[in-house]
């Protein structure tokens, strides 16, 4: 174990691989040389729960002792390697990490040792291109992605660019806030992109999953009427417990036309907005048919090798909009966390040990997850 000292409190002891000239080190936290993490060396290869080195933060980074991390469908894609964007290898996945700052680089001004901090999907961006200047950091072509191009939060210690790391209020339940760091921010941003008015209908396709369960709550808190679409045991009960108004079980509507009619009848003409968080290509394309004229279909879920299909004549005559919504920026992060801090959002989570991550992926692949799984890095 390595005992790290703050600058000015005495010279740090000789520590291999750590450059003390660019680090502000903790006098209250003991940082080990190695840690437990889940790492894979090839896509779709074995997931190894093992001892790995503790990363060294760069001058612009903070080192976070990750206590809990949410498990996102994106983590499954990163492991399987089925997206067009290649991952780094070897890779530690995870991008919903909540924990405590235990060290920071010399350039970091916005975090102090002992602060609570969150690791998001967007680990860092250039902050100097046109997209970053206009608040679209996630679209930066130099974006660094946690658990994809940058080792993520499925380890006990992880680094994050201090500019993009999330500030978490003291006293926050770190297990419950973890899913907000990706799922919450993502669906909140998608609801903003739908550009709805209070009292209008929004359909959440995939309403009882990790993103959907949070989308239902954000939609209610923003004043919208919520129709949920999902299927399987316990999903309607979860949806209604979160404040959803109308639930449609797609497993009971085998005919697509019947499904479209059910949504439109329930909303008296179709929802003004649709948030697609499911990973079903058919469900996404169907939303373009049941959305209300002049409504907005927002694409969030990313099924591999899939396309959204919208018949052009109807698309034009109905004047519908189809938008992609890709996580949120720093302002979206602050706003989404504020909803959580005010008690308007609750994370329906199940906590398991980090060592059980492969089992979570198995459940995810079969669509058997209600809410969000969160891993405890100490187990």
């Amino acid at each position: 174990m390595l005992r790290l000292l703050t600058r000015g409190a005495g010279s740090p002891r000789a520590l291999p691989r750590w450059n003390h000239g660019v680090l502000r080190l903790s006098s209250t936290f003991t940082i080990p040389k190695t840690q437990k993490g889940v790492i894979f060396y090839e896509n779709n290869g074995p997931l190894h729960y093992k001892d790995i080195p503790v990363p060294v933060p760069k001058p612009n980074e903070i080192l976070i002792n990750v206590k809990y991390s949410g498990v996102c469908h994106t983590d499954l894609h990163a492991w399987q390697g089925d997206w067009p964007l290649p991952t780094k290898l070897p890779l530690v996945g995870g991008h919903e990490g909540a924990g405590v700052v235990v060290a920071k680089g010399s350039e970091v001004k916005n975090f102090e040792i002992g602060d609570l901090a969150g690791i998001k999907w967007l680990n860092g961006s250039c902050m100097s291109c046109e997209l970053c200047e206009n608040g679209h950091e996630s679209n930066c072509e130099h974006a660094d992605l946690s658990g994809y191009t940058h080792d993520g939060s499925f380890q006990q210690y992880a680094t994050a660019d201090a500019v993009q790391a999330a500030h978490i209020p003291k006293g926050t339940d770190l297990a419950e806030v973890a899913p907000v760091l990706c799922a919450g921010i993502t669906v909140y941003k998608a609801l903003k992109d739908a550009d709805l008015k209070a009292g209008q209908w929004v359909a959440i396709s995939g309403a009882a999953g990790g993103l959907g369960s949070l989308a239902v709550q954000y939609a209610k808190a923003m004043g919208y009427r919520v129709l949920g679409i999902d299927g399987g045991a316990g999903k309607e009960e979860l949806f209604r417990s979160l404040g959803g108004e109308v639930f449609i079980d797609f497993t009971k509507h085998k005919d697509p036309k019947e499904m479209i009619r059910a949504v439109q009848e329930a909303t008296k003409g179709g929802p003004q907005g649709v948030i697609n968080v499911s990973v079903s290509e058919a469900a996404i394309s169907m939303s373009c048919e049941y959305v209300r004229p002049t409504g907005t279909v927002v694409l969030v879920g990313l099924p591999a090798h899939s396309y959204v299909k919208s018949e052009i004549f109807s698309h034009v005559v109905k004047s519908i909009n189809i938008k992609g919504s890709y996580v949120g920026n720093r302002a979206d992060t602050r706003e989404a966390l504020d909803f959580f801090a005010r008690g308007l959002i609750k994370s329906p989570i199940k906590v398991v040990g980090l060592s059980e991550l492969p089992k979570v992926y198995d459940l995810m692949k079969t669509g058997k997850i209600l809410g969000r799984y969160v891993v405890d890095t100490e187990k």
Side-chain angles (χ1 to χ4, degrees):
M1 304 289 281
L2 304 179
R3 189 70 176 174
L4 305 185
L5 304 174
T6 53
R7 187 178 292 172
S11 299
R13 298 172 187 173
L15 303 178
R17 298 176 62 251
W18 287 71
N19 181 350
H20 304 121
V22 296
L23 286 176
R24 295 180 183 177
L25 306 173
S26 171
S27 61
T28 57
F29 297 100
T30 300
I31 302 175
K33 294 179 181 179
T34 61
Q35 58 167 334
K36 290 294 185 183
V38 175
I39 188 170
F40 58 90
Y41 296 88
E42 58 182 349
N43 292 118
N44 225 21
L47 294 162
H48 301 276
Y49 177 66
K50 60 184 289 189
D51 289 327
I52 57 177
V54 171
V56 180
K58 298 175 182 177
N60 62 311
E61 293 180 334
I62 54 177
L63 179 67
I64 300 171
N65 178 199
V66 180
K67 301 298 186 182
Y68 297 94
S69 179
V71 185
C72 177
H73 214 277
T74 294
D75 299 316
L76 179 63
H77 286 293
W79 170 54
Q80 292 177 325
D82 58 5
W83 278 356
L85 178 66
T87 63
K88 72 175 284 292
L89 289 172
L91 178 67
V92 176
H95 58 276
E96 292 181 346
V100 183
V101 178
V102 295
K104 64 177 187 174
S106 60
E107 297 175 6
V108 176
K109 309 297 183 185
N110 60 331
F111 279 97
E112 298 300 332
I113 305 301
D115 285 352
L116 300 184
I119 295 169
K120 309 183 302 181
W121 170 244
L122 181 63
N123 195 285
S125 65
C126 77
M127 298 305 295
S128 61
C129 68
E130 178 184 350
L131 290 164
C132 287
E133 288 175 351
N134 286 289
H136 302 296
E137 301 104 304
S138 60
N139 301 110
C140 174
E141 66 177 28
H142 301 295
D144 196 16
L145 308 175
S146 300
Y148 208 95
T149 61
H150 187 113
D151 284 333
S153 52
F154 292 153
Q155 56 184 335
Q156 293 173 319
Y157 293 87
T159 56
D161 187 324
V163 172
Q164 290 295 343
H167 288 268
I168 299 176
K170 291 187 182 300
T172 299
D173 185 316
L174 295 179
E176 287 207 358
V177 78
V180 177
L181 297 169
C182 173
I185 296 166
T186 296
V187 298
Y188 173 66
K189 171 65 160 36
L191 287 161
K192 289 174 67 174
D193 285 340
D195 196 24
L196 302 174
K197 298 177 182 177
Q200 291 185 326
W201 281 100
V202 61
I204 311 295
S205 180
L211 276 79
S213 59
L214 291 171
V216 170
Q217 297 176 76
Y218 277 105
K220 286 292 292 183
M222 295 165 79
Y224 309 143
R225 300 181 71 180
V226 185
L227 178 143
I229 301 171
D230 217 317
K235 296 196 174 181
E236 180 172 1
E237 291 78 6
L238 175 61
F239 171 78
R240 295 196 183 281
S241 74
L242 299 174
E245 184 173 343
V246 174
F247 184 83
I248 294 179
D249 187 336
F250 69 82
T251 66
K252 298 179 180 178
H253 298 276
K254 301 299 183 182
D255 184 348
K257 292 181 179 179
E258 180 185 339
M259 179 73 187
I260 292 166
R261 183 165 57 250
V263 174
Q264 292 179 330
E265 287 178 356
T267 54
K268 295 181 171 56
Q272 283 90 351
V274 183
I275 309 299
N276 281 290
V277 294
S278 78
V279 288
S280 165
E281 181 178 21
I284 292 169
S285 295
M286 188 184 298
S287 69
C288 299
E289 297 187 62
Y290 61 65
V291 69
R292 189 180 296 244
T294 73
T296 299
V297 172
V298 184
L299 310 180
V300 179
L302 294 169
H305 314 300
S306 298
Y307 296 85
V308 57
K309 300 179 178 66
S310 177
E311 189 262 318
I312 294 175
F313 183 86
S314 298
H315 191 134
V316 172
V317 171
K318 290 175 65 179
S319 302
I320 67 171
N321 306 289
I322 300 176
K323 288 184 176 180
S325 185
Y326 178 52
V327 299
N329 61 19
R330 289 168 294 162
D332 299 319
T333 298
R334 174 177 46 78
E335 293 165 9
L337 286 170
D338 182 63
F339 275 85
F340 179 86
R342 289 186 285 134
L344 298 173
I345 306 297
K346 303 291 184 184
S347 297
I349 61 172
K350 181 173 182 179
V351 180
V352 299
L354 176 59
S355 61
E356 298 182 61
L357 182 62
K359 297 178 183 178
V360 179
Y361 283 172
D362 288 340
L363 290 170
M364 191 174 282
K365 285 188 284 187
T366 56
K368 294 181 179 179
I369 291 180
L370 282 175
R372 198 71 152 186
Y373 267 80
V374 170
V375 293
D376 181 341
T377 64
E378 294 297 321
K379 299 179 180 177

